[in-house]
Amino acid sequence: MSVIVYYTSITATAELERQQNGIKDMLEALKIPHKLMDLSQDETLLGEMRKKTGNPKALPPQVFYGDQYCGDYAAFANAMEYEKVEEFFKAQCQQKQ
């Protein structure tokens, strides 16, 4: 099982692009296997992402470990602030299984 990030390649704001790139860059830096799901390429992915988060208004980026929800960008930023990024992607997500 690997980390799945729901994101969009068509961003409306520079802030959204920065958030998405921050998550993707950290996954690559930590060499954590991941899959990127581009909401702009498949219209069914937005509904799938929102259903999995349990939030009908959830916006990208959203992070999962398999089908287990890890969090959004705010949760990721919090993990960065407390130097717990690797745990956010690995241990935190795995514990929720």
Side-chain angles (χ1 to χ4, degrees), residues 69-88:
Y69 183 51
C70 298
D72 58 8
Y73 181 78
F76 168 75
N78 188 51
M80 282 189 58
E81 182 176 337
Y82 291 102
E83 298 179 2
K84 302 282 185 188
V85 174
E86 195 163 358
E87 289 87 349
F88 173 78

Side-chain angles (χ1 to χ4, degrees), residues 9-23:
S9 59
I10 301 172
T11 58
T13 66
E15 179 68 13
L16 175 58
E17 188 168 351
R18 184 189 64 76
Q19 291 175 357
Q20 294 180 149
N21 287 337
I23 291 174

Side-chain angles (χ1 to χ4, degrees), residues 22-65:
I23 291 174
K24 291 187 276 185
D25 292 347
M26 188 60 68
L27 283 165
E28 291 171 10
L30 294 172
K31 295 181 172 59
I32 296 174
H34 60 282
K35 181 176 182 181
L36 302 174
M37 305 293 282
D38 187 353
L39 301 175
S40 67
Q41 299 299 313
D42 183 345
E43 61 189 47
T44 64
L45 291 177
L46 179 62
E48 176 183 301
M49 178 195 76
R50 288 178 170 171
K51 183 177 179 183
K52 288 172 136 183
T53 64
N55 179 353
K57 295 182 180 182
L59 297 173
Q62 299 290 333
V63 181
F64 294 81
Y65 183 78

